[in-house]
Amino acid sequence: MKVSASKENHLKAIFHLQQEQGIVTTNALAAALKTRPASVTDMLKKLKDQKLLIYERYKGFKLNAEGKKAAIQVIRKHRLWEFFLVRKLQFGWEEVHEIAEELEHISSRKLVDRLDSFLGFPDTDPHGDPIPDGQGRFHTQRQKCLCELPLNKEVQVSGIASQTTEMLEVLQYNHIQLGTRLEVRKKFPFDDSLEVKVRNRPPVTISAQVAKNVLVKDDEPFAEKR
Amino acid sequence: MKVSASKENHLKAIFHLQQEQGIVTTNALAAALKTRPASVTDMLKKLKDQKLLIYERYKGFKLNAEGKKAAIQVIRKHRLWEFFLVRKLQFGWEEVHEIAEELEHISSRKLVDRLDSFLGFPDTDPHGDPIPDGQGRFHTQRQKCLCELPLNKEVQVSGIASQTTEMLEVLQYNHIQLGTRLEVRKKFPFDDSLEVKVRNRPPVTISAQVAKNVLVKDDEPFAEKR
DNA sequence: ATTACTTTTTAGATTTGTCTAAATTATATT
DNA sequence: AATATAATTTAGACAAATCTAAAAAGTAAT
Ligand SMILES: [Mn+2]
Ligand SMILES: [Mn+2]
Ligand SMILES: [Mn+2]
Ligand SMILES: [Mn+2]
């Protein structure tokens, strides 16, 4: 049974939504996919027929084991392509999502596995999200946001939660990017802004809003594997 | 105006057909695309509406300048991806066509150009076909088939016209592959078979049928550009 | 010029994925 | 419990791409 691009998009979105809530609702999915609730209902019937999810009308739905497996494969493809685009083709991390949204639907399994190998089996995509391996396993995200970090502990930036051009601008200005090593020196309770010391640079101050979107990890997220 | 994957496939097939005949027929296109004549007629109307081809009913058709440009971009994508698959992901040249048939429909122009650059601006795909550059220019095929080659001139294999598994088997057996340097030592007029000397190997004999499908060039078709 | 054959087009259906508007079911409020 | 509101589903429509079967146009042969 074939899974079309649209079905793959649905599976992926359902998977992400059910990470947070256990059960997914029609409206939430429609919003996530920028489609209409009626369209979602239509698709749900098809996915149910293909035995990829558990669904009873008016009662919400969630992926079954089979559906989860399929969703993870799409996510794997998406993130591997993003990694490829940034690492090999010199794209910026803010411009790869859209392209990967197309590339993730190329069907050859062999292609994905070869790509994975070519890239050196990376485990984190350019946004800091984990890349599932060939069996669908991936390390659970142990990223924290900058705002919930203890003082004076050096960490490495491993992801950016929301990457708008404006956000990027601030980070660029403060010399913060993926892989940057830094530590939090001070917290200002008044506005929750932080003094951040980037290694080899003078300290800078960033707002709570920005801090909330900077994700960090203890160990290297982006080790070169050439 | 968007050009769907199916439209791109049609454009590409028309382009190839009109290389040989100036004008293309409905049946020929249907055969090339493994679709039905009625479906071709349907698509022709759409392509005409999008001003990509010249078409009068019952009178055949051909691409206009606009259509040719679009077709060449698809061919460019197809061949660049094939090159990528063989060179970077270690695929065999006989298995890349199908995958490239999907990859060629990824729309980002920037992606194609970056890929081109990443690959070192190759000008020949793994089957010996020329890869159009960013402006749609490509060297006209100056490949010859082995059978029309002068004696004792060393050349390099630059393409295989028809690559079936059976054909591959013969070539593999005789240590002939893309890039192999060889020369024709003798021609047997009786059956037009050839004695071929592959560099650093004892001479072998190949049939006229095989020779007809081995394309060669004088200069390096596959120079490493790292 | 008729007739016979081939090629191409039209007419009408089908599948997939989407939509709007209306109906239904669930949930919340009095 | 009755009613209002929100969420979800159904009904019916549409666009894209394909198909089969039948009609129309072109070509060739007597
Ligand atoms: Mn997608
Ligand atoms: Mn990502
Ligand atoms: Mn294709
Ligand atoms: Mn090729």
Side-chain angles (χ1 to χ4, degrees):
Chain A
M1 197 123 292
K2 348 105 233 208
V3 179
S4 65
S6 178
K7 276 176 193 152
E8 287 191 335
N9 287 337
H10 279 77
L11 290 174
K12 197 168 52 123
I14 297 169
F15 183 89
H16 287 314
L17 286 171
Q18 81 181 26
Q19 295 280 77
E20 291 138 38
Q21 306 102 38
I23 208 103
V24 188
T25 72
T26 302
N27 276 354
L29 184 52
L33 289 169
K34 287 175 182 160
T35 179
R36 298 314 197 128
S39 309
V40 166
T41 304
D42 289 343
M43 188 57 88
L44 288 178
K45 287 178 199 157
K46 294 172 200 164
L47 292 175
K48 188 191 179 181
D49 288 349
Q50 275 173 73
K51 300 193 204 309
L52 294 169
L53 54 71
I54 294 144
Y55 166 55
E56 273 180 282
R57 72 199 197 303
Y58 290 105
K59 300 203 69 176
F61 47 90
K62 62 178 173 180
L63 299 177
N64 61 21
E66 198 67 10
K68 243 178 264 177
K69 229 171 64 181
I72 288 170
Q73 283 310 310
V74 181
I75 290 166
R76 170 170 157 78
K77 288 189 278 181
H78 184 101
R79 292 181 181 166
L80 280 173
W81 282 116
E82 282 188 342
F83 189 96
F84 168 74
L85 293 172
V86 168
R87 273 319 192 57
K88 300 292 183 179
L89 301 194
Q90 262 70 55
F91 276 90
W93 26 299
E94 74 289 357
E95 49 184 348
V96 296
H97 181 81
E98 281 228 302
I99 303 177
E101 204 56 52
E102 285 185 60
L103 283 164
E104 72 189 356
H105 304 295
I106 304 294
S107 56
S108 166
R109 176 60 191 256
K110 193 169 180 181
L111 169 59
V112 188
D113 292 342
R114 288 283 174 96
L115 181 66
D116 196 7
S117 160
F118 174 64
L119 298 173
F121 303 102
D123 64 359
T124 312
D125 88 354
H127 309 104
D129 296 312
I131 301 178
D133 71 11
Q135 278 71 56
R137 294 174 303 226
F138 51 93
H139 66 82
T140 30
Q141 192 98 317
R142 70 223 125 87
Q143 287 179 139
K144 289 181 200 163
C145 100
L146 244 192
C147 49
E148 60 188 7
L149 208 69
L151 292 182
N152 302 315
K153 183 181 184 188
E154 190 176 90
V155 294
Q156 211 178 22
V157 176
S158 61
I160 309 294
S162 143
Q163 56 269 8
T164 59
T165 318
E166 291 81 5
M167 174 75 179
L168 241 188
E169 196 190 339
V170 183
L171 294 181
Q172 207 123 38
Y173 181 78
N174 289 307
H175 297 88
I176 294 171
Q177 52 180 275
L178 265 210
T180 301
R181 288 169 187 290
L182 49 74
E183 57 184 278
V184 176
R185 282 281 171 79
K186 225 180 161 124
K187 301 191 184 189
F188 298 97
F190 172 66
D191 60 355
D192 290 322
S193 64
L194 304 176
E195 186 182 90
V196 171
K197 173 74 175 63
V198 175
R199 200 199 260 189
N200 302 325
R201 302 218 122 255
V204 294
T205 306
I206 64 173
S207 71
Q209 278 146 66
V210 170
K212 207 179 302 173
N213 286 292
V214 176
L215 307 175
V216 299
K217 262 206 263 184
D218 303 14
D219 55 3
E220 298 208 324
F222 244 97
E224 279 289 348
K225 289 173 185 167
R226 299 267 169 122
Chain B
M1 197 125 291
K2 358 125 212 184
V3 179
S4 66
S6 179
K7 276 176 192 152
E8 287 190 334
N9 287 337
H10 280 76
L11 290 174
K12 197 168 52 121
I14 297 170
F15 183 88
H16 287 316
L17 285 172
Q18 83 181 26
Q19 295 280 79
E20 291 138 38
Q21 305 102 39
I23 207 102
V24 188
T25 72
T26 303
N27 275 354
L29 184 52
L33 289 168
K34 287 176 181 160
T35 178
R36 297 315 195 128
S39 310
V40 166
T41 303
D42 288 344
M43 189 57 87
L44 289 177
K45 287 180 200 157
K46 293 173 201 165
L47 293 175
K48 189 192 179 179
D49 288 350
Q50 274 174 72
K51 299 194 206 307
L52 293 169
L53 54 72
I54 294 144
Y55 166 54
E56 274 181 281
R57 75 198 192 302
Y58 291 105
K59 300 203 67 176
F61 47 91
K62 61 178 175 181
L63 300 178
N64 62 21
E66 198 68 10
K68 243 177 265 177
K69 230 171 63 182
I72 288 170
Q73 284 309 311
V74 182
I75 291 166
R76 171 170 156 78
K77 288 188 278 181
H78 184 101
R79 293 181 180 165
L80 281 173
W81 281 117
E82 282 188 342
F83 188 96
F84 168 75
L85 294 172
V86 169
R87 272 319 192 55
K88 299 292 184 181
L89 301 195
Q90 263 70 55
F91 276 91
W93 26 300
E94 75 290 356
E95 50 185 345
V96 295
H97 180 80
E98 281 229 301
I99 303 178
E101 203 57 51
E102 284 184 60
L103 283 165
E104 71 189 357
H105 304 295
I106 304 295
S107 56
S108 166
R109 176 59 191 256
K110 193 169 180 179
L111 169 58
V112 187
D113 292 342
R114 289 282 174 97
L115 181 64
D116 196 7
S117 160
F118 174 63
L119 298 174
F121 302 103
D123 64 359
T124 311
D125 89 352
H127 310 103
D129 296 312
I131 301 177
D133 71 11
Q135 279 69 56
R137 292 174 304 227
F138 52 92
H139 67 82
T140 30
Q141 194 98 317
R142 73 222 123 87
Q143 287 180 138
K144 287 179 201 163
C145 99
L146 244 194
C147 49
E148 62 190 5
L149 208 67
L151 292 183
N152 301 314
K153 184 182 184 188
E154 191 175 90
V155 294
Q156 212 178 22
V157 176
S158 62
I160 309 294
S162 143
Q163 56 269 7
T164 59
T165 319
E166 291 81 6
M167 174 75 180
L168 242 186
E169 196 190 339
V170 181
L171 295 181
Q172 208 122 38
Y173 181 77
N174 289 307
H175 298 88
I176 294 172
Q177 51 181 277
L178 264 211
T180 300
R181 287 168 187 289
L182 50 74
E183 58 185 275
V184 175
R185 280 283 170 81
K186 226 180 160 121
K187 301 190 185 189
F188 298 97
F190 173 65
D191 60 353
D192 291 320
S193 65
L194 303 175
E195 187 183 89
V196 172
K197 173 75 176 59
V198 177
R199 203 198 257 190
N200 302 326
R201 300 218 123 254
V204 294
T205 306
I206 64 173
S207 71
Q209 277 148 66
V210 169
K212 210 178 301 174
N213 286 293
V214 176
L215 306 175
V216 298
K217 263 206 263 185
D218 303 13
D219 55 4
E220 299 208 325
F222 245 96
E224 279 289 348
K225 289 171 186 166
R226 300 266 170 122

